[in-house]
């Protein structure tokens, strides 16, 4: 005899007992205890932009995806459904991990800070992912954490042009002076 239960993918949602009956034979009652896996809810993401952008810090509470300019300081706060022993922020996929950062854990509250950087995303797409991996106080891990988008906006280097002198090589006496005129612009932020 072969039996699979529950018949759906969601699994059992609460404790239960079962017994097996075959003809006039009835087994004893066997308990099944349901242990809730750790679940993490991203509560807020604070963006502290580089000073030269002249942008005020922003806090987002309705979108767990992170989209930020290179160099932005990110503070992510999350809440677990149970007490957590330890955890880390995992960048990249299981197949192609890029980096891990430890979480600050206080009971059910989780927090991590990091700077957006090119090494956190894979390849030239400037897109990657992150997930929070935790272990509760009973040693149970969240074995299927939610992956969230991580999107990096590259910060282009300033452009500098030498306007004068126009010649590449110049001879100037040891005690002489040469006026150099330059034009510089930041393609991202003027």
């Amino acid at each position: 005899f072969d039996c699979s239960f529950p018949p759906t993918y969601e699994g059992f949602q609460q404790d239960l007992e079962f017994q097996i009956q075959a003809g006039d034979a009835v087994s004893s009652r066997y308990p099944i205890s349901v242990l809730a896996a750790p679940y993490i809810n991203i509560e807020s993401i604070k963006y502290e932009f580089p000073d030269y952008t002249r942008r005020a810090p922003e806090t987002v509470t309705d979108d767990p995806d992170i989209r930020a300019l290179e160099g932005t300081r990110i503070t992510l706060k999350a809440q677990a459904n149970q007490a957590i022993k330890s955890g880390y922020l995992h960048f990249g996929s299981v197949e192609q991990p890029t980096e891990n950062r430890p979480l600050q854990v206080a009971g059910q509250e989780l927090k991590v800070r990091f700077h957006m950087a090119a090494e956190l995303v894979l390849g030239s797409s400037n897109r990657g992912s992150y997930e929070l991996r935790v272990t509760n106080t009973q040693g149970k891990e969240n074995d299927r954490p939610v992956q969230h988008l991580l999107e990096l906006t590259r910060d282009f280097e300033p452009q500098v042009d030498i306007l004068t002198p126009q010649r590449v090589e110049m001879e100037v006496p040891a005690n002489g002076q040469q006026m150099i005129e330059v034009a510089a612009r930041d393609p991202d932020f003027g």
Side-chain angles (χ1 to χ4, degrees):
F1 178 75
D2 187 5
C3 175
S4 297
F5 60 95
T8 62
Y9 176 75
E10 290 86 25
F12 294 117
Q13 302 300 313
Q14 60 190 21
D15 294 350
L16 62 104
E17 289 185 347
F18 75 95
Q19 69 183 85
I20 299 173
Q21 182 176 351
D24 62 350
V26 178
S27 73
S28 299
R29 295 179 83 75
Y30 298 97
I32 294 179
S33 297
V34 175
L35 302 174
Y39 174 78
I40 308 302
N41 181 47
I42 309 284
E43 291 192 329
S44 67
I45 300 170
K46 182 177 182 181
Y47 296 86
E48 295 175 82
F49 304 101
D51 291 340
Y52 63 85
T53 66
R54 297 182 207 102
R55 290 182 62 184
E58 294 176 15
T59 299
V60 175
T61 58
D62 60 350
D63 186 0
D65 294 337
I66 296 175
R67 295 174 182 86
L69 175 69
E70 191 170 10
T72 300
R73 181 182 171 116
I74 306 292
T75 302
L76 184 146
K77 292 182 180 179
Q79 184 78 23
N81 64 338
Q82 53 194 262
I84 300 299
K85 177 182 170 187
S86 63
Y88 59 93
L89 174 63
H90 175 77
F91 295 101
S93 65
V94 174
E95 300 81 29
Q96 289 187 294
T98 56
E99 195 170 325
N100 293 326
R101 299 282 171 89
L103 296 173
Q104 297 173 17
V105 178
Q108 292 177 244
E109 296 179 10
L110 310 171
K111 182 177 178 180
V112 64
R113 289 189 175 110
F114 64 94
H115 282 89
M116 281 295 278
E119 57 268 12
L120 300 179
V121 296
L122 301 172
S124 61
S125 70
N126 298 332
R127 295 172 70 102
S129 64
Y130 79 91
E131 59 193 28
L132 298 177
R133 294 181 170 264
V134 297
T135 302
N136 68 13
T137 54
Q138 289 79 40
K140 174 79 173 138
E141 297 178 356
N142 60 334
D143 54 356
R144 290 185 293 175
V146 177
Q147 283 196 348
H148 302 285
L149 174 69
L150 184 68
E151 187 172 29
L152 175 74
T153 300
R154 300 261 183 201
D155 184 10
F156 295 105
E157 295 178 1
Q159 297 172 343
V160 179
D161 295 318
I162 299 175
L163 302 176
T164 60
Q166 294 181 350
R167 292 184 15 208
V168 176
E169 288 188 29
M170 300 264 322
E171 287 190 32
V172 179
N175 61 351
Q177 294 182 357
Q178 172 63 52
M179 174 73 97
I180 300 175
E181 184 180 358
V182 297
R185 57 194 168 278
D186 185 335
D188 302 309
F189 298 97

